[in-house]
Amino acid sequence: MAKSSKARSALSVLVDDPQGRSLGLELASGVLIDRPGRRGWWREPEPLLWVSDDVVGVGALAAYRSSALAAAGLQAVLLQERRGLERWWQDRELVPDRMSDPGDHHVEPVLREFWSRVVPDPEEGEGEEGAGLIAPFGRDWPGLAEPGPGSGPGPEGGPDPEVVACALGDELIESGFLPSPRLALIPAGRGADVPTAMGWGGPTNHENDTALISAVLRSWEDRFGARVVALGFDELHVSVAAPPRTVAHALPVAAEHFAFSPDNIWQGSGSIRAYADEAVTGSDHWGFWWD
């Protein structure tokens, strides 16, 4: 995926200014992880992301998720280790050159294709049980959900999505849901593009071009005030400023989630209907994982 020179130069500043003071930051110690690829005298390393050396606590996102930082082309998120995969971001797990551009994809065709891959097939013996899993929908793609209440601009808009994102980050840290989070800065034009820009491969067993994941996240940003808050090796945590308030509205959102991350339902709630009630209606935290 092509990166703008503005995004590249913003992270490259940290080579000579490790605390980021020229960007209005006061970073603790951290490491710059270079974009993978061939190296030689003719090609200088290109920083892919910056990650703090130490675990961060409550307030970390609020301190760095600013409009000034975003204007400089950097997005702040949390990265979470996994047992056996500590500091997975340093172990050649990131492959940005494999990803396409999120802007080349449209959300509805992406989700329709995802749905077609995961919807139960009665010809493979997934009849009655499969129908119950996706009820009240059938095998045809049900279409995009309506935007969340107060998700649009104007005086009647809902909570500030960035405030909600920082609050969720604090909640995940305080509760121990993220027991060892690191602060990361990634060059990306918007938060939804962070997984693609860093070459994250968490959904590889479902989709190995993370740009399609970002295309869906872009749409959720617009429709539900969603923001990427944290990533693990194969987990993604998103804040939601304008979630559905009724189960009727949540059901088509749950269908999108099933297409996006089927393990949430296959190995979680067990059905779209139960998932809509448990994990979507009124929830300001959408968590996803891929087995």
Side-chain angles (χ1 to χ4, degrees), residues 240-259:
V240 191
R245 297 298 179 189
T246 66
V247 174
H249 186 189
L251 280 167
V253 179
E256 293 187 26
H257 286 204
F258 178 53

Side-chain angles (χ1 to χ4, degrees), residues 60 78 83 88 109 150 187 288:
L78 300 172
R83 181 176 295 180
W88 49 265
F288 304 97

Side-chain angles (χ1 to χ4, degrees), residues 104-251:
D104 291 340
H105 307 284
H106 298 284
V107 62
E108 182 131 33
V110 168
L111 284 172
R112 183 185 296 113
E113 170 61 23
F114 286 174
W115 177 267
S116 72
R117 297 180 196 171
V118 301
V119 69
D121 187 348
E123 294 184 2
E124 297 182 3
E126 300 173 341
E128 186 174 340
E129 182 179 349
L133 185 144
I134 61 173
F137 306 108
R139 297 193 68 242
D140 292 338
W141 163 240
L144 293 181
E146 292 296 319
S151 60
E156 296 182 1
D160 183 332
E162 286 301 315
V163 172
V164 176
C166 294
L168 177 62
D170 288 348
E171 179 183 330
L172 295 177
I173 293 171
E174 281 187 309
S175 67
F177 199 95
L178 299 179
S180 55
R182 310 297 174 101
L183 178 71
L185 303 179
I186 294 96
R190 58 192 291 181
D193 293 353
V194 161
T196 303
M198 64 187 285
W200 182 62
T204 294
N205 291 338
H206 179 56
E207 173 55 56
N208 62 16
D209 183 359
T210 309
L212 277 68
I213 300 298
S214 286
V216 178
L217 292 172
R218 284 183 174 195
S219 180
W220 288 346
E221 280 186 346
D222 296 338
R223 286 184 289 145
F224 303 103
R227 297 292 185 270
V228 173
V229 171
L231 298 97
F233 177 74
D234 54 5
E235 298 179 21
L236 173 65
H237 299 281
V238 176
S239 63
V240 191
R245 297 298 179 189
T246 66
V247 174
H249 186 189
L251 280 167

